[in-house]
Amino acid sequence: MNSTELLRFLQSEFIRRLRTNQEQELLRSQYEGNYSELKLVTSPDLDLAREFAWAMVDKYSPRRLRQSHSLDSQSSSRRIFSNHLKGKLGEIAVTYCLGDYIDPVNFRILRSGDGKYDLQVNNQKSIKIQVKTRFGDIKAKWTVSQEEIEACDIIACVLIQNKDHENTAFSEFQSQ
């Protein structure tokens, strides 16, 4: 099965299960043959994502943000860290799903952004994947702009959800 066939299969399987209207069925299936959408990110991937998020805090220094947006430095640093960590966790989760079919997550700090995509299919570099990550409950909503649709071939939506409590705040200090 080539990478394009795999992506189409995964999408159709997900849509089929989504139509069952059984929210928990998407996270942990009780039926034989249905795989779990739940992905657990641990070290060393989690450590790399944290390092990247701190580097982004350094790149977008609170002093520079304060001058342009009049934001409190502590809350803006926390927001920068949290947003970039969530984004990298989403990218890592997608690589767990697609494995050797896509290039590894890029943890380099780029001067001018990532070119509107996050991942590429490794044997077809023209296929661009953008990962959109949200934290919350299963009813989270994602927005996708026309520019994002035109720039990417695949838009993967990832939900970070606390397994014990739906409304718990995101914690960057969890071990997994």
Side-chain angles (χ1 to χ4, degrees):
M1 177 179 287
N2 69 33
S3 55
T4 304
E5 290 169 351
L6 173 67
L7 292 169
R8 285 186 179 132
F9 171 78
L10 289 173
Q11 180 180 12
S12 64
E13 175 63 15
F14 177 78
I15 290 169
R16 183 187 65 75
R17 290 194 296 138
L18 186 62
R19 288 181 177 152
T20 67
N21 292 323
Q22 298 174 14
E23 295 170 355
Q24 289 306 315
E25 180 64 19
L26 290 174
L27 298 177
R28 290 190 182 104
S29 180
Q30 60 185 335
Y31 302 107
E32 188 175 337
N34 283 359
Y35 58 90
S36 172
E37 296 293 337
L38 188 63
K39 303 298 176 216
L40 187 63
V41 177
T42 58
S43 291
D45 293 328
L46 182 57
D47 296 336
L48 290 169
R50 284 185 177 129
E51 288 175 29
F52 176 83
W54 281 122
M56 294 307 285
V57 169
D58 291 341
K59 179 179 177 179
Y60 298 107
S61 72
R63 182 182 41 168
R64 209 167 72 193
L65 285 173
R66 228 182 9 256
Q67 291 170 349
S68 62
H69 294 94
S70 300
L71 295 175
D72 172 86
S73 64
Q74 185 179 13
S75 66
S76 63
S77 294
R78 184 173 288 128
R79 189 176 315 115
I80 292 167
F81 178 86
S82 180
N83 287 343
H84 284 89
L85 179 60
K86 290 174 194 176
K88 283 300 174 191
L89 291 175
E91 291 175 35
I92 291 167
V94 171
T95 63
Y96 286 1
C97 292
L98 300 178
D100 293 335
Y101 288 100
I102 60 173
D103 290 342
V105 174
N106 183 351
F107 291 101
R108 288 188 329 247
I109 307 301
L110 305 172
R111 284 182 71 97
S112 60
D114 60 12
K116 305 289 183 213
Y117 68 92
D118 300 308
L119 303 167
Q120 288 180 292
V121 174
N122 61 17
N123 65 352
Q124 293 177 301
K125 298 295 185 191
S126 63
I127 298 178
K128 310 282 192 237
I129 303 171
Q130 183 181 53
V131 179
K132 298 184 78 76
T133 307
R134 295 286 178 266
F135 176 80
D137 67 16
I138 197 128
K139 292 179 172 68
K141 296 186 189 272
W142 287 261
T143 57
V144 180
S145 71
Q146 186 63 38
E147 179 185 17
E148 291 169 321
I149 291 170
E150 291 169 3
C152 297
D153 301 290
I154 300 165
I155 298 178
C157 296
V158 176
L159 174 66
I160 297 175
Q161 183 182 35
N162 183 309
K163 66 181 178 181
D164 299 321
H165 305 287
E166 288 183 5
N167 296 322
T168 303
F170 177 75
S171 172
E172 60 269 16
F173 300 108
Q174 289 178 247
S175 62
Q176 56 188 21

